[in-house]
Amino acid sequence: MLISPMISRALEEPVGLEAAAMNPHDASDAFRLAAHALFDDWRHDPAVKTKPARRIRVSARSRVPAVLDGEPILLPADSTVKFLPKAFRALAPRPPAAEDTV
């Protein structure tokens, strides 16, 4: 799993994507992981490893299912994901002045 630094709770600075690998070995590991996800943070489970990454290569026998901006897509079987800290700039309206809101 790759998580944007904008929504990651593990990365304090946008140094890359949060790469998370989950490897439960049996049903009890899967239930423990689910319990962590429900009651605290799935990152605390011993079956989970996370670290920041700037470039990730994905390789599989067939196309790789992925979700980008909430849209399901199929990546090619051999794909590379790169973190670009300033990929685009967005324009947004200036928020109202503090004295105008109560």
Side-chain angles (χ1 to χ4, degrees), residues 54-65:
R54 296 182 70 82
R55 181 183 173 112
I56 297 93
R57 181 169 177 246
V58 179
S59 183
R61 286 182 276 203
S62 61
R63 297 186 67 161
V64 179

Side-chain angles (χ1 to χ4, degrees), residues 3-10 18 43:
I3 304 168
S4 166
M6 290 175 28
I7 62 170
S8 171
R9 291 185 291 174
E18 178 187 1
R43 293 171 185 89

Side-chain angles (χ1 to χ4, degrees), residues 5 14-17 53-56 81-86:
V15 294
L17 299 167
R54 296 182 70 82
R55 181 183 173 112
I56 297 93
V81 178
K82 296 178 189 174
F83 173 70
L84 301 174
K86 293 188 180 182

Side-chain angles (χ1 to χ4, degrees), residues 25-67:
H25 291 97
D26 54 28
S28 64
D29 284 358
F31 283 117
R32 187 192 62 233
L33 177 58
H36 276 291
L38 284 172
F39 299 113
D40 57 5
D41 188 346
W42 53 267
R43 293 171 185 89
H44 295 151
D45 191 87
V48 176
K49 303 283 186 242
T50 64
K51 67 186 278 185
R54 296 182 70 82
R55 181 183 173 112
I56 297 93
R57 181 169 177 246
V58 179
S59 183
R61 286 182 276 203
S62 61
R63 297 186 67 161
V64 179
V67 178

